[in-house]
Amino acid sequence: MDSPPSRVIHIRKLPNEVSETEVIALGLPFGKVTNILMLKGKNQAFLELGTEEAAVTMVNYYTAVTPQVRNVPVFIQYSNHKELKTDSALNQRAQAVLQAVSAVQEGGSPSSAAGESVLTPAPSPVLRIIIDNMFYPVTLDVLQQIFSKFGTVMKIITFTKNNQFQALLQFSDPVNAQQAKLSLDGQNIYNSCCTLRIDFSKLVNLNVKYNNDKSRDYTRPELPAGDGQPPVDPSVAATLSKDSTSLLGKTGASEALTCPSWFTPLLLLPSLPLPSASRLTKGVYGDVQRVKILYNKKDSALIQMSDGNQAQLAMSHLNGQKMYGKIIRVTLSKHQTVQLPREGLDDQGLTKDFTSSPLHRFKKPGSKNFQNIFPPSATLHLSNIPENVTEEDLRLLFSNSGGTVKAFKFFQDRKMALLQMSTVEEAIQALIDLHNYDMGRGHRLRVSFSKSTI
């Protein structure tokens, strides 16, 4: 049974050698952290926040977005304790770190007693920001809104390097830069996307020549606009602020930080061969509702998923993968739904409705299939195998899909197996061809990507 709300949070399954600072950083965006207890032998910790409201905001946020420490998912829940009583002798180091972080939170100087490199005096007031999983545009104004929670933002320069959106952002004081880095590094701007990666820049001052949508000096409003890009569409900006709710709480990032719901239900797939357009991703990353191959561009299709999270999963896992010798490009579409053709209108079979498809794997809330979503890999997981089917039968079946079977392994009950193709592209093709394959006696083969290797 879940514990009732408490300002003490219980954190489990932490990675080995995790630092106090990394645990404290989980709670910082939601309010003041008032106490910490590390149980390193059990890979657990308790974090006490200043108010129960801050703790509720934290638990609600991490219910929607899986918290990660060092790229390892951790589990967060309310503790049975209403407050933490810690033995200062046993918990001395953690308390020192907490005091240092509190000093940063309150605008003072961090304590050197913490012994944490991240809490040594900030080398620069300038942060370098890289945005991963950028499924929604991040504007200069959004960055200013988020980072100004931690102090006065003086200058911002945005640019693209190595196909990644990056920014340099200068605070008036290095302490503010340090607090922002500690609180926001690794956080998502929008739900499940636009992840912030933050480092200190080697620069200590930014030279901004123009005030436009690529760069801004807030201390010099008289600067010319130069050759900046046109501003973001006003309707997009209006929808962003109107439809959004705070994900990181009042003291964390912006209060307008939820991806607008209309932005996520559809996938646009250029460079997609026609035969596979209506089958790709069906059941692997979500439940496909409708597919429309574009009339004037038949190597492209619109694919409508059940919800925005499924669309983002499909996009993040499939963009850049290879099929039929072509690279698939997957982006989010501006359309909210795929329109079915009017009754009596022949659209040459380019639009299909899969709403009632028996192949949907994610209809049931809490289905185990949600736990088995992995990126495309050469190793496939097979299930629902009839007991009379042999390894040789399956090797032959998958070889006929046009690839080479490199390895095979039955699970103990022989109802499931792992099968490894020679390339990821071959495995994708085999999954398209053989998921839901009729094996006889009412058995339909279930095929998905595996994180295991043989």
Side-chain angles (χ1 to χ4, degrees), residues 27-33 49-50 54 105 248 251-252:
L28 270 184
F30 307 95
K32 187 177 173 70
V33 177
L49 276 76
Q105 275 188 312
L248 299 183
T251 59

Side-chain angles (χ1 to χ4, degrees), residues 18-328:
V18 67
S19 70
E20 288 84 352
T21 305
E22 290 170 299
V23 175
I24 292 168
L26 287 170
L28 270 184
F30 307 95
K32 187 177 173 70
V33 177
T34 51
N35 209 344
I36 179 174
L37 176 63
M38 299 290 289
L39 304 175
K40 290 197 173 180
K42 295 183 177 180
N43 297 87
Q44 298 181 18
F46 290 92
L47 207 60
E48 180 186 278
L49 276 76
T51 64
E52 189 176 294
E53 181 189 10
V56 170
T57 305
M58 178 177 172
V59 170
N60 287 347
Y61 173 68
Y62 286 131
T63 300
V65 178
T66 304
Q68 293 197 343
V69 177
R70 300 190 185 187
N71 295 319
V72 174
V74 299
F75 294 87
I76 286 179
Q77 64 193 59
Y78 297 116
S79 166
N80 293 321
H81 302 286
K82 290 299 177 188
E83 63 176 332
L84 278 183
K85 294 188 173 81
T86 50
D87 185 323
S88 57
L90 293 175
N91 207 34
Q92 195 169 8
R93 173 187 164 80
Q95 293 302 313
V97 175
L98 187 60
Q99 285 173 17
V101 173
S102 297
V104 174
Q105 275 188 312
E106 291 158 12
S109 299
S111 163
S112 59
E116 290 281 316
S117 59
V118 74
L119 294 173
T120 55
S124 167
V126 179
L127 295 175
R128 184 180 69 126
I129 303 156
I130 297 174
I131 301 192
D132 286 336
N133 302 320
M134 192 163 150
F135 303 151
Y136 188 79
V138 175
T139 65
L140 186 144
D141 289 330
V142 166
L143 291 173
Q144 195 272 341
Q145 189 181 4
I146 295 168
F147 283 83
S148 62
K149 300 283 182 183
F150 299 90
T152 303
V153 174
M154 298 178 70
K155 304 171 186 177
I156 306 178
I157 298 172
T158 63
F159 54 97
T160 301
K161 184 178 181 182
N162 300 329
N163 292 322
Q164 279 188 309
F165 180 83
Q166 301 191 25
L168 293 170
L169 184 146
Q170 181 177 339
F171 279 100
S172 57
D173 191 309
V175 169
N176 301 134
Q178 185 162 35
Q179 185 183 0
K181 179 183 184 300
L182 196 61
S183 296
L184 295 175
D185 187 28
Q187 299 284 359
N188 294 328
I189 297 179
Y190 303 112
N191 191 8
S192 305
C193 66
C194 300
T195 307
L196 294 164
R197 281 174 39 211
I198 304 172
D199 287 309
F200 290 109
S201 170
K202 291 176 183 175
L203 301 171
V204 292
N205 185 49
L206 297 180
N207 180 25
V208 176
K209 294 180 180 178
Y210 303 110
N211 281 341
N212 54 38
D213 292 300
K214 288 183 177 177
S215 62
R216 188 102 28 105
D217 185 335
Y218 295 94
T219 67
R220 299 179 65 198
E222 74 281 0
L223 287 176
D227 58 352
Q229 297 296 310
V232 68
D233 185 320
S235 64
V236 172
T239 307
L240 177 60
S241 59
K242 182 178 69 179
D243 288 358
S244 299
T245 56
S246 172
L247 284 180
L248 299 183
K250 293 177 183 175
T251 59
S254 158
E255 300 206 9
L257 294 185
T258 303
C259 229
S261 58
W262 55 263
F263 193 77
T264 51
L266 294 174
L267 294 170
L268 181 63
L269 300 172
S271 308
L272 186 63
L274 179 62
S276 63
S278 65
R279 294 178 293 179
L280 180 65
T281 76
K282 197 191 306 174
V284 181
Y285 299 113
D287 295 336
V288 173
Q289 302 298 302
R290 294 175 181 174
V291 174
K292 182 182 184 69
I293 296 167
L294 303 188
Y295 181 78
N296 292 323
K297 199 178 180 187
K298 291 194 170 64
D299 65 348
S300 299
L302 291 171
I303 296 182
Q304 181 179 336
M305 309 294 285
S306 286
D307 59 46
N309 284 337
Q310 291 183 7
Q312 286 181 346
L313 273 172
M315 180 170 69
S316 61
H317 286 312
L318 291 169
N319 185 40
Q321 293 293 342
K322 202 172 183 184
M323 274 183 53
Y324 297 101
K326 287 188 173 186
I327 300 293
I328 311 165

